[in-house]
Amino acid sequence: MIYLKYMSDLLPELRNEIKINHKAKTEAVNEAKSSHQERLRKAVNTPLAEYNFSPEEEASQSRIEKRFQILALQSKSDSEIFLRELENAGVVIISTSQYLEYLRRLRVERGRFDPDLQETQAAYVTNEDILSFIERFKIQLPEDVQEELERATQGKSGAIFLGNNPPHLVLWHEGAHAVQHLEGWNFQKSGKYKTEIGINIILLKAHEEKILGGVSTGDYYVSGDGFGKPIVRPKTNDIYKELEDFERNTARLK
């Protein structure tokens, strides 16, 4: 459930070295907005059975969605208040996480990703997975990371680890994973992609119902393809980024 932020979000100027015609840029953005909105409507209106959700998983998804919406409304659509509501439910919230930084370094050492292209933003982790991580890496864990992980297991419902100033959409996404756990979603049985699809759909529906505070709609980076043709990409805090993640997850499920 680790959310990765691409460097294109951090340094958009690197993707705009070739000047793009203003008219072509405007047309590309308008076309992207129209396409994204149509695809979003289709995503939220497609029966879960088409994504291979069993009747049991559909019932579980309904409970998770209902509880997420109740918490979001209680939070007045404020993602930070939403996290505090989750704390009241037993989820530990850790800001400026040393664990995430350690995980980033570990991946660099193992060649798992290019540190110049990706940055870990946030992660919801169950107590079981935290304890498993501690057991696996306890000999080499720095003291501050060990202490943070031990503190994270003091809650009864896992922990959300936050990097520096994660976007609102990241907070909603990882918080929704915590709600999944609180409502007893079977991560092991359902698998990674169906688990993510469930979260994607919940956030897309919540956005349509205007309860995802701080999340943008159609906020894009526009870069050239080397020939001046516009390439349009949603920013990390934009709901269409969640939509594109949903589409990738459904493609991988097939």
Side-chain angles (χ1 to χ4, degrees), residues 1-5 94 97 99-100 103 119-125 159-164 166-167 170-171 173-175 177:
M1 290 157 223
I2 289 175
Y3 196 103
L4 297 175
K5 181 176 181 180
I94 296 179
S97 170
Y99 161 68
L100 288 188
L103 194 62
E119 175 182 275
T120 302
Q121 285 294 289
Y124 168 72
V125 190
I160 295 177
F161 298 90
L162 302 174
N164 293 321
V170 174
L171 302 183
H173 186 104
E174 296 307 321
H177 275 303

Side-chain angles (χ1 to χ4, degrees), residues 7 12 44 46 52 77 84 90 109 121 158 181-182 186 200-201 208-209 212 214 223 228 231:
M7 190 57 75
V44 299
T46 299
N52 299 324
S77 299
R84 292 203 290 272
E109 292 170 4
Q121 285 294 289
H181 181 74
L182 289 168
N186 192 326
N200 298 145
I201 290 173
E208 287 290 272
E209 294 171 13
L212 283 192
S223 60
I231 298 175

Side-chain angles (χ1 to χ4, degrees), residues 59-179:
S60 181
Q61 174 75 6
S62 178
R63 292 194 304 272
I64 296 161
E65 182 177 331
K66 182 177 181 179
R67 185 164 184 182
F68 176 88
Q69 291 187 353
I70 289 172
L71 288 172
L73 290 170
Q74 285 177 349
S75 306
K76 298 180 180 178
S77 299
D78 186 312
S79 59
E80 294 184 2
I81 298 176
F82 173 66
L83 292 188
R84 292 203 290 272
E85 293 286 348
L86 290 173
E87 272 191 302
N88 293 335
V91 179
V92 176
I93 308 297
I94 296 179
S95 301
T96 318
S97 170
Q98 297 304 306
Y99 161 68
L100 288 188
E101 175 59 23
Y102 176 76
L103 194 62
R104 185 193 68 79
R105 295 197 305 268
L106 190 65
R107 289 179 170 180
V108 171
E109 292 170 4
R110 298 188 172 202
R112 294 286 299 277
F113 78 118
D114 184 343
D116 292 329
L117 295 178
Q118 299 174 337
E119 175 182 275
T120 302
Q121 285 294 289
Y124 168 72
V125 190
T126 65
N127 284 351
E128 292 78 10
D129 285 342
I130 294 171
L131 293 172
S132 176
F133 184 88
I134 292 173
E135 180 63 26
R136 183 177 179 187
F137 295 101
K138 62 182 178 181
I139 296 177
Q140 64 191 78
L141 282 177
E143 185 176 345
D144 58 348
V145 176
Q146 176 85 25
E147 291 177 354
E148 181 178 299
L149 292 175
E150 290 174 354
R151 178 159 54 94
T153 60
Q154 291 175 6
K156 61 181 181 180
S157 302
I160 295 177
F161 298 90
L162 302 174
N164 293 321
N165 301 313
H168 293 284
L169 184 57
V170 174
L171 302 183
W172 291 117
H173 186 104
E174 296 307 321
H177 275 303
V179 175

